[in-house]
Amino acid sequence: MGGLVFSIVLTVHVLAGLGVIGLVLMQHGKGADMGAAFGSGASGSLFGSSGSANFLSRTTGVLAGVFFVTSLSLSYLSGAKSPAATSVMEGAAVQVPAPAANSAAPAAPAGDASKAKDIPR
Protein backbone atom coordinates (compact mmCIF):
# COMPACT_ATOMS: atom_id res chain seq x y z
CA MET A 1 0.00 0.00 0.00
CA GLY A 2 2.83 2.39 0.85
CA GLY A 3 4.51 1.76 -2.49
CA LEU A 4 1.31 2.54 -4.37
CA VAL A 5 0.85 5.86 -2.55
CA PHE A 6 4.49 6.74 -3.18
CA SER A 7 4.08 6.00 -6.91
CA ILE A 8 0.92 8.09 -7.16
CA VAL A 9 2.48 11.05 -5.35
CA LEU A 10 5.62 10.75 -7.49
CA THR A 11 3.53 10.76 -10.67
CA VAL A 12 1.59 13.85 -9.54
CA HIS A 13 4.89 15.50 -8.57
CA VAL A 14 6.45 14.93 -12.01
CA LEU A 15 3.30 16.11 -13.82
CA ALA A 16 3.08 19.23 -11.65
CA GLY A 17 6.74 19.99 -12.32
CA LEU A 18 6.28 19.63 -16.07
CA GLY A 19 3.14 21.77 -15.87
CA VAL A 20 4.96 24.55 -14.04
CA ILE A 21 7.76 24.47 -16.63
CA GLY A 22 5.27 24.64 -19.50
CA LEU A 23 3.21 27.44 -17.98
CA VAL A 24 6.25 29.55 -17.16
CA LEU A 25 7.48 29.18 -20.74
CA MET A 26 4.06 30.20 -22.11
CA GLN A 27 3.91 33.43 -20.12
CA HIS A 28 5.35 36.60 -21.49
CA GLY A 29 7.52 38.99 -19.55
CA LYS A 30 6.61 42.49 -18.43
CA GLY A 31 8.55 43.98 -21.33
CA ALA A 32 6.29 42.20 -23.82
CA ASP A 33 3.36 44.50 -22.98
CA MET A 34 5.04 47.34 -24.84
CA GLY A 35 4.89 45.34 -28.05
CA ALA A 36 1.12 44.91 -27.66
CA ALA A 37 0.69 48.69 -27.72
CA PHE A 38 2.17 48.80 -31.22
CA GLY A 39 -0.05 46.08 -32.66
CA SER A 40 1.92 42.89 -32.17
CA GLY A 41 -1.31 40.93 -31.85
CA ALA A 42 -1.30 40.21 -28.11
CA SER A 43 -4.62 41.98 -27.62
CA GLY A 44 -6.42 39.45 -29.82
CA SER A 45 -5.41 36.42 -27.80
CA LEU A 46 -7.65 33.55 -26.75
CA PHE A 47 -8.24 34.88 -23.21
CA GLY A 48 -8.64 38.54 -24.12
CA SER A 49 -6.23 41.40 -23.55
CA SER A 50 -5.42 40.70 -19.88
CA GLY A 51 -7.21 37.42 -19.19
CA SER A 52 -4.33 35.18 -20.22
CA ALA A 53 -1.93 36.74 -17.73
CA ASN A 54 -4.32 36.17 -14.84
CA PHE A 55 -5.25 32.64 -15.90
CA LEU A 56 -1.68 31.53 -16.55
CA SER A 57 -0.25 33.12 -13.40
CA ARG A 58 -2.98 31.65 -11.18
CA THR A 59 -2.59 28.21 -12.73
CA THR A 60 1.17 28.44 -12.29
CA GLY A 61 0.68 29.34 -8.64
CA VAL A 62 -1.66 26.39 -8.08
CA LEU A 63 0.71 23.96 -9.77
CA ALA A 64 3.64 25.37 -7.79
CA GLY A 65 1.65 24.75 -4.60
CA VAL A 66 0.90 21.18 -5.69
CA PHE A 67 4.60 20.70 -6.49
CA PHE A 68 5.56 21.99 -3.03
CA VAL A 69 3.07 19.73 -1.24
CA THR A 70 4.11 16.66 -3.22
CA SER A 71 7.77 17.44 -2.49
CA LEU A 72 7.06 17.42 1.23
CA SER A 73 4.93 14.30 0.88
CA LEU A 74 7.66 12.45 -1.00
CA SER A 75 10.24 13.33 1.62
CA TYR A 76 7.91 12.12 4.38
CA LEU A 77 7.05 8.90 2.54
CA SER A 78 10.67 8.10 1.73
CA GLY A 79 11.59 8.58 5.39
CA ALA A 80 8.71 6.38 6.48
CA LYS A 81 9.96 3.49 4.30
CA SER A 82 12.91 2.66 6.55
CA PRO A 83 11.59 2.21 10.10
CA ALA A 84 15.02 1.96 11.71
CA ALA A 85 16.93 5.18 11.19
CA THR A 86 20.42 3.97 10.42
CA SER A 87 23.39 5.73 9.01
CA VAL A 88 24.70 4.93 5.58
CA MET A 89 28.14 4.44 7.05
CA GLU A 90 26.98 1.75 9.46
CA GLY A 91 26.64 -0.71 6.60
CA ALA A 92 30.16 -0.08 5.32
CA ALA A 93 32.74 -2.57 6.55
CA VAL A 94 36.10 -1.04 7.32
CA GLN A 95 39.05 -3.36 6.79
CA VAL A 96 42.35 -2.16 8.19
CA PRO A 97 45.31 -4.39 7.34
CA ALA A 98 47.25 -5.58 10.38
CA PRO A 99 50.96 -4.68 10.46
CA ALA A 100 53.36 -7.49 9.73
CA ALA A 101 55.29 -8.95 12.68
CA ASN A 102 58.73 -8.70 11.03
CA SER A 103 58.49 -5.39 9.28
CA ALA A 104 61.78 -4.14 7.95
CA ALA A 105 62.59 -0.54 7.22
CA PRO A 106 61.38 0.56 3.82
CA ALA A 107 63.91 0.14 1.07
CA ALA A 108 65.46 3.22 -0.46
CA PRO A 109 64.41 3.94 -4.01
CA ALA A 110 66.98 3.17 -6.66
CA GLY A 111 68.89 6.08 -8.06
CA ASP A 112 71.67 8.48 -7.08
CA ALA A 113 69.31 11.38 -6.25
CA SER A 114 67.88 9.65 -3.19
CA LYS A 115 68.98 10.85 0.25
CA ALA A 116 67.54 7.75 1.95
CA LYS A 117 70.85 5.87 1.58
CA ASP A 118 72.57 8.47 3.79
CA ILE A 119 70.32 7.85 6.81
CA PRO A 120 71.94 5.48 9.33
CA ARG A 121 69.93 2.41 10.26
Side-chain angles (χ1 to χ4, degrees):
M1 181 67 181
L4 178 65
V5 173
F6 187 82
S7 297
I8 291 172
V9 173
L10 183 63
T11 303
V12 171
H13 182 72
V14 169
L15 291 176
L18 292 174
V20 168
I21 291 170
L23 287 174
V24 166
L25 290 175
M26 284 184 1
Q27 295 179 23
H28 58 76
K30 292 185 180 193
D33 291 335
M34 192 61 167
F38 295 108
S40 69
S43 60
S45 66
L46 179 64
F47 299 105
S49 61
S50 66
S52 67
N54 290 335
F55 174 75
L56 291 177
S57 61
R58 286 184 184 174
T59 308
T60 304
V62 168
L63 281 179
V66 169
F67 185 81
F68 181 73
V69 169
T70 55
S71 295
L72 292 176
S73 301
L74 285 172
S75 66
Y76 176 75
L77 290 173
S78 66
K81 277 185 178 179
S82 58
T86 59
S87 173
V88 175
M89 294 304 293
E90 287 178 7
V94 178
Q95 297 177 354
V96 179
N102 294 333
S103 62
D112 294 330
S114 173
K115 299 289 182 185
K117 63 182 181 229
D118 299 335
I119 299 173
R121 294 185 196 204

